[in-house]
Amino acid sequence: MRLTLRLAAIVAALIVCLPLHYGWKLLGQRSPWPRRFLGFVGRAAGMRARVVGTPLKSHVLFLANHLSWLDIMLIAGASGAAFVSKDEVGKWPVIGWLSRLNNTVFIARTERKAVRGQADALRAALATGQPVALFPEGTTEGGTETLPFRASLLASLFPPLPGLRVQPVAIDYGEAGPDIAWVGDEAAGANAKRVLARRGTAEVTLHFLEPIDPASLPDRKALAERSREAIVSALGASATAPDHL
């Protein structure tokens, strides 16, 4: 029953948001409705987001740790960001179509020879000024542990774009993290069903950390490491705060 009600709420929200989205586009305006819809999906799934810090509004690449597909809903709801996603997601029924509505940048992670072209595609998206989010772990397999960041796509930031900043984002699901994390051989549909059927709600804290100027660092690898260090530090501080003891 819980799963059915949450799915019904998500479908109803989509029915409401789609005409409004296309109406905004016909007027030549940037549509706020993908952001609102994705944020609603996160809430419908039982997530209650608390934002710490201030997300930059434009000319920013958010780099975040990655536990679940819910990360997308939460960051989008808080910042209006588009996302970088593996190209196979673009082929999924409905999900691929919805991803395009939010200006997703699709890349082929398995094609190492195409990295330069993928970085160029991300650079072009960033040049429009729309916030873009990237999960540089490239997987949710680490669960609540933050894996090393892959630096290849950060080549898009060198040479630095004028005025563009990187803002690390630490996503903390608290005690719900191990239950929500998408790890192992669990299929996408099975994971979505399990998460949407969870009882109750979970408070998720999004730490939007101090922005980094790519021009202040020598290369993409240094940028990846600096961003990861900031996220790991924020998650560690959150875990030892009084309300987490």
Side-chain angles (χ1 to χ4, degrees):
M1 180 63 72
R2 187 179 300 107
L3 172 64
T4 301
L5 290 174
R6 285 175 169 170
L7 286 174
I10 291 169
V11 171
L14 181 60
I15 292 171
V16 170
C17 289
L18 270 179
L20 294 169
H21 168 73
Y22 284 115
W24 251 253
K25 299 293 281 187
L26 285 173
L27 294 173
Q29 302 294 316
R30 180 176 167 184
S31 173
W33 295 102
R35 170 183 183 170
R36 292 174 180 175
F37 171 71
L38 292 172
F40 176 81
V41 172
R43 291 191 295 276
M47 303 301 108
R48 299 295 179 263
R50 181 172 71 95
V51 175
V52 176
T54 303
L56 297 182
K57 295 182 178 180
S58 65
H59 297 91
V60 57
L61 176 63
F62 298 114
L63 298 183
N65 58 308
H66 199 20
L67 281 81
S68 167
W69 54 272
L70 288 169
D71 303 342
I72 295 171
M73 314 304 163
L74 296 166
I75 291 179
S79 70
F83 290 84
V84 177
S85 176
K86 54 188 178 181
D87 58 351
E88 66 185 64
V89 173
K91 302 173 185 177
W92 291 357
V94 183
I95 300 298
W97 170 63
L98 289 173
S99 298
R100 290 184 176 84
L101 293 183
N102 196 45
N103 301 324
T104 296
V105 180
F106 293 106
I107 60 163
R109 291 189 182 273
T110 57
E111 297 181 13
R112 292 186 177 275
K113 294 181 180 179
V115 168
R116 182 69 257 179
Q118 295 165 7
D120 289 344
L122 175 54
R123 186 178 180 88
L126 290 167
T128 68
Q130 179 175 4
V132 179
L134 169 67
F135 300 110
E137 290 171 275
T139 178
T140 59
E141 278 300 311
T144 57
E145 177 187 354
T146 305
L147 298 177
F149 281 6
R150 301 177 183 180
S152 57
L153 287 178
L154 298 185
S156 61
L157 304 180
F158 295 91
L161 289 165
L164 188 132
R165 296 292 182 267
V166 168
Q167 188 167 25
V169 183
I171 308 174
D172 181 9
Y173 286 88
E175 294 181 354
D179 186 38
I180 288 171
W182 184 8
V183 296
D185 297 327
E186 188 176 26
N191 177 269
K193 182 177 179 180
R194 179 174 61 79
V195 170
L196 289 171
R198 286 183 77 253
R199 290 187 177 186
T201 60
E203 181 174 298
V204 186
T205 304
L206 304 177
H207 299 269
F208 285 86
L209 305 173
E210 188 69 23
I212 301 170
D213 182 356
S216 68
L217 295 168
D219 54 35
R220 57 187 174 84
K221 292 183 179 180
L223 178 58
E225 185 59 29
R226 173 76 64 82
S227 301
R228 182 180 181 278
E229 287 174 354
I231 290 171
V232 170
S233 177
L235 292 173
S238 178
T240 57
D243 59 345
H244 283 72
L245 293 177

